[in-house]
Amino acid sequence: MPTNFTVVPVEDADGGNKSAAAAGDSKPVSLGKLFDNEGVENNVEVDDSPGESSPFINSDNDREHYRYYEGKNMALFEEEMDSTPMVSSLLNKLATYTNLPQGVREHEEAEDGVRRVAVMVPQMGTFIGVYLPCMQNILGVILFLRLTWIVGTAGILGSFAIVSMCCICTLLTAISMSAIATNGVVPAGGSYYMISRSLGPEFGGAVGLCFYLGTTFAGSMYILGIIEILLTYIVPTAILFGGQEATPNDMRVYGTCCLVLMALVVFVGVKYVNKLALVFLAWVILSILATYAGVVKTMIEPPEFNVCLLGNRSLKNEKFETCAKTEFVKNHTVNTELWSIFCDSTYPNATCDDYFILNNLTEMKAIPGLLSGVIKDNLWGDYGPVGTFIEKKSQPSVQVQETPTTTNTNEHYVINDITTYFTLLVGIYFPSVTGIMAGSNRSGDLRDAQRSIPIGTIMAILTTSFIYISCVVMFGACIEGVVLRDKLGYSVKKNPVIGILAWPSPWVIVIGSFFSCCGAGLQSLTGAPRLLQAIARDGIVPFLQVFGHGKANGEPTWALLLTVGICEIGILIGSLDAVAPILSLFFLMCYLFVNLACAVQTLLRTPNWRPRFKFYHWTLSFLGMSLCLSLMFVCSWYYALVAMVIAGCIYKYIEYRGAVKEWGDGIRGLSLNAARYALIRLEEAPLHTKNWRPQLLVMCKLNSDLAVKHPRLMSFTTQLKAGKGLTIVCSVLEGTYMTRRNDAKTAEQNLKAAMAAERMKGFSHVVVSSNLRDGFSLLIQSAGLGGMKHNAVLMAWPTRWEQARDTSARRNFIETVRETTAAHQALLVAKNIDHFPENHERLKEGSIDVWWIVHDGGLLMLLPFLLSQHKVWKKCKMRIFTVAQMDDNSIQMKKDLQMFLYHLRLDAEVEVVEMHDSDISAFTYEKTLVMEQRSQMLKQMQLSRTEREREIQSITDVSRGSIKRKKTLDDAPSFNAFCIPEEEVAVATKQLVAQLIHDRNTASHSAMNDKAAGGAPDRVHMTWTKDKLIQERNRHREGMGVKDMFNMKPEWENLNQSNVRRMHTAVKLNEVVVKKSKHSQLVLLNMPGPPKNKKGDENYMEFLEVLMEGLDRVLLVRGGGREVITIYS
């Protein structure tokens, strides 16, 4: 049966049409209204850029808005409205969404001293917002000052290849950038935000800084272009350092002054820069149109510009008018200005330059015209070293030997000022195509950025590519080759070569190129500081955070100062041709990573990668990335290496010291994919002994404040990780997850903080379980993933377990030992962990002593080697002790052990300790008696309180009496040293008889373990031979000796003889260890396993306490049942 619903209109309490009216009328929209408390209700960290912390654009949780639904048809969802907006409300916010504008507009609004919070809804379209800015930035100084020289030097074919490579590179990059721009809402902030949010903070920061450096050096190039135009064509008399040509020192002086002037303009009047941008662009377009008009005019009437050749060498014709040695004036033959230039006097018998005498002068058209056929001569390149003459190869010439006279006249020829080769020309030309991101930088000002950026950028690239390619063909088809190779136009009266082609006057090109350089330089000095400010405000590069601050209106003052400083470095180079390859490398690296981001996102099939740009394919991004990388090394292989090293250093610095950011980048997806592949590969084959390393599961105990109780356990873990490998730090909280989930998050944060303080690389995990035992069991079974699972458990020795009110600590410890053994995992137990050294400490001397009692796979040998790799233990030597019985050959055992260590490549001292068979001392019996009495007390905990008190008193009396009698009967010296005072017995007794309250789950867990404990006994491999092991077992099974049994004292007759033997071993071994290793820095001991019968669990901890008594730092080691060290390579 269908159900009828009533559609409820969505309106705010103060009028539902205000936002729509704001959008329709372009009225100021309040930022607070648009981004009202985003992320606060959901406890989401809010970033500076909108739309990153939330899946929706503006998650505005308006309480009054949702109250409208109370009692309405949507009451079923009323409990979720605080966190999930209604669809109608979401669509309303999407319709009224606006990006933040750029900092330039904020600066203009705040220039009157009033801080306006309201902003205007952007209304810029594709043509004004993207196409024209890209055109203005792409067409610039290289077109007017260097393209003719590139065509003349590389030839038409070589120039066509250079232009094609660079334009294809930028076109492919623009396609990738269009895919990024159409993959969701483009954030205000431009290309840097698109790159960083796609590549992640590490790559984003590195590429962002490379983009910043490229933009800054572009400002240097444009300023050098301004000075070159000024001193060469406009005011040549302003040259300071002598000569007729501008020197590098002139470029430095005037360039610095121009930089300071531009910086002041940017600092004071940014709005004037934006208003003049249209004027600058108009002059650029006018200059290009004048060039095309001049080409058309050459077909009708070539310009009246001639070039003078002496022999086949091109001459600078600014000092003479007539291209001849003599001329006929008033029926008289007189010498011309050239005669006085190449001869020492004006007389006919003057001494002249040999080359001047032997060769004739030829005058030809500098621009023969489009139909002249000169295109055939300009097809191929003409490269040469620095100082070579610009020559016309087809012209006859008589060569002479160089003399001091000819050397002095070389300044009158047009020569190469730099060594020319193909790769150099690529580096010089590439900056002319680097303005493709000008449109994306205005993303916050566009009406529809997803539509405007792809169309405007690609159309601008296609338009400028057509202009560049057509100019290459036109220049080669119209202009003489020697004129093309004349970089600054000295052979045509010091006019720009493109200027003599333009119509109606060369001054159109001079003024157009001057305005073009001025506009581009101001745009660079305006955009670069804001780019740096955006990087600084992201917080990914800590030392740059100071540049995120500025004036009250947000103007990046500090960033502008740094930009001016870096720009000055480029100006001090003093040559446009030397600066151009530097910024080419930085821009190429930026474009490379844009293509890389798109290719990675596509190949990984990232679910959120859904670009609407239809003409994108990952092969185009891969081709663009390859082309960028190739062009980097083509331009300059050493500059390419320097740029990559800078980017790599920035990447590692951000990774090591940078702020943690999560932007959903493609590089993280690549890491996840690589991790998945590696995990699957790890499970394909079992791990070989050569590749074994400790993968640690660290059991941490938390205090009442959920902080790590033993932080030294973290330090010791770090010191063990010289072998790298996996580290999982975990803890267990008792309770249910629903009630303690916040505590679990807090505890996990505390674990991460403790790991960060110790610089530990690993993972942290906190689980909530009904009891601690089940939680530890769960972690031992399930921690890790696939092949990256732990193979060793590290935990601290449970201190004061004998004084605890219940036995949970003891039971948890013993069950952990059993479960690690059953899971074939190694177990490391550190006693007195708070006495272990911290990571900043340095042990100057001492030793790490290994007591090798049974063979557990070589873990005892491997651990001290790993510790010695850390700087804390580096100066500690390794000593290995093993135990021999009376019938063993101690000398041969020592030799065999030394040879074994030699094959293992371990440097250690070896000592064999002989343990003599001796009678069981009275002290051993007394320790066993006290232990069993304590166990008896624990079993009597179910008695009534009165009966319990009487039982305790009687047990205490018996203990004190037996100790007093033992003092008179015992003649063993060791007992006097280890006897227990009456006060300690009394205190221990009172503490041990406290009420035991044990959880039912623990009881059931233990009962299940009891049933499963009936397996085959563990096989223990002794350091001695198998025959000796069988003899030892038989000797113990046949009895301890009739003599010992009959000589027992009456109060010892009922003792368990197995416990007596175990205590005897523990006491005797402890005496030997204390004697040999009491002053060592660390003692490693084989950890004996718990008894198969759980009735002996109460005594197991006593045996371990006796074994470690008198030692400060002890690490009990229990192997996982497999070999972890091998003698083979």
Side-chain angles (χ1 to χ4, degrees):
M1 181 176 180
T3 303
N4 294 326
F5 286 91
T6 302
V7 179
V8 181
V10 180
E11 294 180 2
D12 292 334
D14 56 349
N17 297 325
K18 288 186 177 181
S19 59
D25 299 335
S26 299
K27 294 181 179 180
V29 181
S30 172
L31 285 180
K33 190 70 176 177
L34 289 177
F35 305 101
D36 183 22
N37 298 329
E38 180 179 352
V40 176
E41 296 292 337
N42 298 328
N43 296 324
V44 179
E45 180 184 356
V46 181
D47 205 346
D48 292 335
S49 58
E52 293 178 16
S53 301
S54 172
F56 308 112
I57 297 177
N58 296 310
S59 299
D60 184 9
N61 297 324
D62 191 349
R63 301 285 186 179
E64 297 297 331
H65 174 74
Y66 293 125
R67 286 177 185 170
Y68 183 84
Y69 291 102
E70 290 184 1
K72 304 292 182 178
N73 291 336
M74 296 301 166
L76 181 61
F77 300 95
E78 63 183 4
E79 293 183 356
E80 300 179 4
M81 290 181 184
D82 289 339
S83 58
T84 55
M86 296 298 294
V87 174
S88 55
S89 177
L90 171 64
L91 294 177
N92 186 34
K93 294 182 178 66
L94 285 170
T96 59
Y97 170 69
T98 175
N99 280 321
L100 286 175
Q102 304 301 307
V104 175
R105 175 170 292 182
E106 294 174 354
H107 175 67
E108 292 178 14
E109 293 176 351
E111 279 191 345
D112 55 1
V114 179
R115 179 74 180 272
R116 295 192 180 98
V117 180
V119 298
M120 297 298 295
V121 177
Q123 294 294 330
M124 296 179 66
T126 303
F127 185 76
I128 299 296
V130 180
Y131 182 78
L132 290 183
C134 288
M135 288 282 293
Q136 181 183 1
N137 280 268
I138 294 175
L139 301 173
V141 60
I142 301 297
L143 171 64
F144 298 117
L145 296 184
R146 291 293 183 270
L147 187 58
T148 54
W149 173 69
I150 292 174
V151 173
T153 304
I156 295 177
L157 297 179
S159 303
F160 186 82
I162 294 173
V163 173
S164 299
M165 282 192 304
C166 296
C167 291
I168 291 174
C169 177
T170 55
L171 180 62
L172 295 175
T173 304
I175 292 174
S176 299
M177 192 173 65
S178 300
I180 297 176
T182 57
N183 187 54
V185 176
V186 179
S191 54
Y192 162 69
Y193 277 88
M194 291 194 299
I195 296 170
S196 61
R197 270 55 178 177
S198 298
L199 287 169
E202 291 87 1
F203 274 113
V207 176
L209 285 177
C210 287
F211 189 31
Y212 164 74
L213 291 174
T215 306
T216 305
F217 277 104
S220 302
M221 183 187 72
Y222 293 131
I223 292 174
L224 290 173
I226 292 172
I227 304 305
E228 184 174 300
I229 295 170
L230 195 67
L231 297 181
T232 306
Y233 306 121
I234 300 177
V235 192
T237 57
I239 295 175
L240 298 176
F241 294 90
Q244 301 298 320
E245 302 177 12
T247 64
N249 288 332
D250 292 306
M251 304 292 284
R252 296 180 184 115
V253 172
Y254 284 106
T256 303
C257 297
C258 183
L259 174 63
V260 173
L261 180 62
M262 282 188 170
L264 290 175
V265 172
V266 171
F267 181 77
V268 176
V270 178
K271 63 180 180 180
Y272 300 111
V273 176
N274 295 327
K275 291 179 180 179
L276 288 173
L278 189 60
V279 178
F280 295 152
L281 179 60
W283 269 105
V284 172
I285 295 176
L286 181 62
S287 301
I288 294 174
L289 293 178
T291 303
Y292 281 103
V295 172
V296 174
K297 184 177 180 295
T298 60
M299 294 187 295
I300 303 172
E301 181 184 359
E304 295 297 331
F305 284 96
N306 297 321
V307 58
C308 184
L309 300 180
L310 178 60
N312 62 357
R313 299 177 184 178
S314 178
L315 294 175
K316 297 178 181 179
N317 63 357
E318 57 182 331
K319 293 184 179 181
F320 61 90
E321 295 294 334
T322 305
C323 184
K325 299 179 182 179
T326 60
E327 60 181 341
F328 194 74
V329 179
K330 296 180 180 181
N331 298 325
H332 294 282
T333 301
V334 296
N335 295 329
T336 62
E337 295 93 337
L338 279 174
W339 190 274
S340 59
I341 292 174
F342 287 93
C343 301
D344 57 1
S345 69
T346 59
Y347 298 104
N349 59 352
T351 303
C352 297
D353 179 70
D354 294 339
Y355 190 83
F356 178 74
I357 296 174
L358 296 176
N359 290 277
N360 297 322
L361 288 165
T362 306
E363 188 175 28
M364 62 178 61
K365 290 282 187 182
I367 301 179
L370 191 62
L371 304 178
S372 63
V374 73
I375 188 173
K376 297 179 181 178
D377 300 331
N378 295 331
L379 281 177
W380 307 103
D382 187 3
Y383 303 100
V386 62
T388 57
F389 300 104
I390 303 298
E391 299 175 340
K392 184 175 177 60
K393 302 297 183 182
S394 60
Q395 193 73 14
S397 173
V398 179
Q399 300 297 326
V400 296
Q401 188 176 1
E402 289 290 332
T403 63
T405 304
T406 57
T407 304
N408 294 332
T409 59
N410 284 348
E411 62 180 11
H412 303 291
Y413 298 103
V414 182
I415 61 174
N416 282 331
D417 57 345
I418 59 173
T419 301
T420 54
Y421 44 91
F422 181 80
T423 57
L424 172 72
L425 300 183
V426 174
I428 293 176
Y429 173 76
F430 190 82
S432 64
V433 296
T434 56
I436 63 173
M437 291 188 176
S440 62
N441 288 337
R442 296 170 178 248
S443 58
D445 296 328
L446 299 175
R447 185 184 302 113
D448 185 1
Q450 294 191 44
R451 181 179 179 274
S452 298
I453 291 177
I455 296 176
T457 304
I458 293 177
M459 289 302 298
I461 291 175
L462 293 177
T463 303
T464 53
S465 299
F466 170 77
I467 291 173
Y468 282 128
I469 292 176
S470 62
C471 284
V472 167
V473 177
M474 289 188 303
F475 293 161
C478 294
I479 305 175
E480 186 65 46
V482 290
V483 180
L484 286 174
R485 291 193 295 276
D486 184 2
K487 183 186 295 184
L488 300 178
Y490 290 117
S491 61
V492 286
K493 301 294 184 181
K494 215 172 186 180
N495 288 304
V497 176
I498 190 175
I500 63 174
L501 179 63
W503 180 86
S505 170
W507 282 101
V508 176
I509 299 297
V510 172
I511 297 174
S513 59
F514 182 79
F515 281 167
S516 173
C517 292
C518 289
L522 288 172
Q523 291 292 338
S524 297
L525 292 179
T526 303
R530 285 171 176 79
L531 177 60
L532 180 62
Q533 186 182 43
I535 299 172
R537 285 182 174 177
D538 269 345
I540 56 177
V541 184
F543 69 85
L544 291 179
Q545 290 183 359
V546 64
F547 300 107
H549 306 291
K551 295 195 296 187
N553 58 2
E555 189 68 15
T557 307
W558 294 106
L560 178 61
L561 291 177
L562 180 63
T563 302
V564 170
I566 298 176
C567 194
E568 177 65 17
I569 295 175
I571 291 175
L572 291 178
I573 295 176
S575 172
L576 187 149
D577 299 324
V579 174
I582 298 177
L583 66 99
S584 297
L585 266 297
F586 286 121
F587 277 115
L588 279 169
M589 180 162 289
C590 179
Y591 297 164
L592 183 149
F593 284 114
V594 171
N595 290 291
L596 173 64
C598 293
V600 167
Q601 298 269 29
T602 307
L603 293 176
L604 294 180
R605 291 182 172 88
T606 306
N608 194 52
W609 179 248
R610 302 185 299 275
R612 298 180 60 189
F613 188 65
K614 298 179 180 179
F615 305 102
Y616 166 76
H617 194 267
W618 70 268
T619 54
L620 298 178
S621 295
F622 186 79
L623 181 61
M625 180 183 65
S626 304
L627 189 56
C628 288
L629 186 63
S630 302
L631 286 176
M632 285 176 63
F633 285 92
V634 165
C635 291
S636 176
W637 64 269
Y638 47 88
Y639 278 162
L641 293 178
V642 171
M644 295 175 71
V645 168
I646 291 174
C649 293
I650 297 171
Y651 177 92
K652 296 305 293 183
Y653 177 80
I654 296 174
E655 185 181 47
Y656 181 68
R657 293 291 302 276
V660 177
K661 294 285 182 180
E662 180 50 59
W663 291 329
D665 54 275
I667 300 302
R668 182 173 178 83
L670 180 63
S671 301
L672 291 174
N673 203 48
R676 180 185 63 84
Y677 176 78
L679 288 172
I680 293 174
R681 288 293 304 271
L682 282 175
E683 280 196 319
E684 291 180 356
L687 190 67
H688 195 272
T689 304
K690 298 176 183 178
N691 300 323
W692 192 94
R693 59 185 64 190
Q695 320 275 17
L696 293 178
L697 177 67
V698 184
M699 299 285 195
C700 281
K701 189 174 182 180
L702 305 178
N703 57 22
S704 58
D705 296 330
L706 300 180
V708 178
K709 188 174 183 180
H710 301 293
R712 298 289 181 93
L713 193 63
M714 302 283 193
S715 303
F716 185 66
T717 304
T718 306
Q719 295 157 20
L720 266 178
K721 296 314 290 180
K724 305 299 181 184
L726 176 71
T727 302
I728 304 175
V729 181
C730 60
S731 187
V732 179
L733 297 181
E734 199 166 5
T736 62
Y737 181 74
M738 294 304 296
T739 58
R740 303 205 65 184
R741 63 181 184 274
N742 292 331
D743 291 342
K745 292 180 181 178
T746 303
E748 189 159 353
Q749 293 297 325
N750 292 340
L751 287 181
K752 290 181 179 178
M755 294 171 65
E758 299 296 337
R759 296 183 178 180
M760 181 194 303
K761 301 294 184 181
F763 308 96
S764 61
H765 191 44
V766 176
V767 298
V768 181
S769 178
S770 57
N771 58 78
L772 298 179
R773 177 82 290 286
D774 288 344
F776 286 129
S777 176
L778 179 66
L779 288 170
I780 292 173
Q781 295 176 58
S782 61
L785 179 65
M788 287 296 287
K789 291 184 69 69
H790 63 279
N791 54 26
V793 177
L794 174 62
M795 60 188 303
W797 174 258
T799 57
R800 300 181 180 178
W801 60 269
E802 70 280 0
Q803 300 177 9
R805 289 181 173 270
D806 55 32
T807 60
S808 61
R810 172 176 56 83
R811 290 180 181 275
N812 289 341
F813 178 80
I814 296 174
E815 289 302 318
T816 300
V817 178
R818 284 197 173 99
E819 289 182 357
T820 54
T821 303
H824 301 289
Q825 297 174 4
L827 178 63
L828 312 178
V829 181
K831 181 189 176 184
N832 295 332
I833 186 62
D834 294 330
H835 297 175
F836 278 56
E838 295 182 342
N839 286 332
H840 63 81
E841 297 182 27
R842 303 291 182 271
L843 301 178
K844 301 298 183 182
E845 57 184 359
S847 62
I848 302 176
D849 290 354
V850 178
W851 285 85
W852 194 22
I853 311 302
V854 295
H855 180 58
D856 57 353
L859 186 58
L860 274 173
M861 308 289 187
L862 186 60
L863 291 178
F865 168 75
L866 296 178
L867 285 174
S868 64
Q869 303 302 303
H870 196 272
K871 52 191 175 184
V872 174
W873 305 88
K874 198 170 188 67
K875 294 186 178 180
C876 295
K877 60 182 180 180
M878 179 179 171
R879 300 192 301 177
I880 296 182
F881 298 88
T882 189
V883 179
Q885 299 298 312
M886 288 301 297
D887 52 351
D888 288 328
N889 188 343
S890 301
I891 298 177
Q892 187 62 38
M893 282 184 63
K894 185 173 183 180
K895 290 182 180 180
D896 294 342
L897 183 56
Q898 288 174 339
M899 181 59 65
F900 181 57
L901 293 178
Y902 174 78
H903 289 304
L904 290 178
R905 290 91 66 196
L906 296 176
D907 296 327
E909 298 179 6
V910 176
E911 186 172 345
V912 178
V913 179
E914 296 182 354
M915 292 189 64
H916 303 281
D917 289 336
S918 60
D919 294 338
I920 298 176
S921 64
F923 172 67
T924 302
Y925 282 109
E926 186 60 35
K927 294 283 288 185
T928 308
L929 176 62
V930 173
M931 177 183 68
E932 292 196 356
Q933 287 172 346
R934 182 183 289 111
S935 300
Q936 184 181 358
M937 284 189 293
L938 295 174
K939 292 176 181 179
Q940 296 298 325
M941 295 304 295
Q942 302 300 326
L943 299 176
S944 65
R945 181 175 182 180
T946 305
E947 293 174 336
R948 190 185 309 125
E949 290 177 355
R950 289 200 299 267
E951 185 72 8
I952 293 169
Q953 186 63 39
S954 62
I955 293 173
T956 304
D957 294 340
V958 171
S959 298
R960 289 173 177 172
S962 63
I963 291 175
K964 291 179 180 178
R965 290 193 300 274
K966 179 68 189 78
K967 287 182 179 179
T968 59
L969 295 174
D970 185 22
D971 53 356
S974 61
F975 176 70
N976 293 330
F978 296 96
C979 64
I980 303 176
E982 293 184 28
E983 294 80 1
E984 293 186 12
V985 174
V987 172
T989 304
K990 289 179 181 179
Q991 292 174 341
L992 286 168
V993 298
Q995 180 65 35
L996 290 176
I997 301 175
H998 194 56
D999 190 83
R1000 292 182 179 180
N1001 293 331
T1002 305
S1004 62
H1005 181 82
S1006 301
M1008 293 176 64
N1009 287 341
D1010 290 339
K1011 294 179 181 179
D1018 290 344
R1019 297 181 178 180
V1020 180
H1021 301 281
M1022 311 295 288
T1023 54
W1024 46 82
T1025 62
K1026 183 177 180 181
D1027 295 336
K1028 177 59 183 174
L1029 175 62
I1030 297 174
Q1031 293 176 10
E1032 279 293 308
R1033 288 180 175 174
N1034 292 336
R1035 186 166 66 86
H1036 284 290
R1037 290 174 181 173
E1038 291 173 0
M1040 289 185 58
V1042 181
K1043 176 183 67 173
D1044 295 336
M1045 296 293 293
F1046 285 102
N1047 287 339
M1048 288 183 181
K1049 299 300 183 289
E1051 58 268 22
W1052 300 335
E1053 291 178 355
N1054 296 326
L1055 292 179
N1056 187 318
Q1057 296 304 309
S1058 175
N1059 290 339
V1060 174
R1061 291 196 303 271
R1062 291 171 182 268
M1063 185 62 74
H1064 175 66
T1065 303
V1067 170
K1068 298 300 291 182
L1069 188 57
N1070 175 259
E1071 290 178 358
V1072 177
V1073 174
V1074 170
K1075 180 180 178 182
K1076 297 287 186 180
S1077 303
K1078 186 174 184 179
H1079 300 291
S1080 63
Q1081 299 289 359
L1082 179 64
V1083 177
L1084 279 75
L1085 283 170
N1086 279 119
M1087 183 179 183
K1092 297 296 184 291
N1093 186 358
K1094 290 200 171 184
K1095 294 180 180 180
D1097 285 357
E1098 295 84 357
N1099 307 324
Y1100 177 66
M1101 301 291 286
E1102 287 281 358
F1103 295 142
L1104 295 182
E1105 282 282 8
V1106 172
L1107 184 62
M1108 297 184 293
E1109 192 172 6
L1111 299 173
D1112 185 21
R1113 299 174 185 151
V1114 181
L1115 185 65
L1116 293 176
V1117 180
R1118 183 163 177 79
R1122 63 161 295 166
E1123 294 290 336
V1124 301
I1125 193 169
T1126 177
I1127 63 175
Y1128 300 104
S1129 61

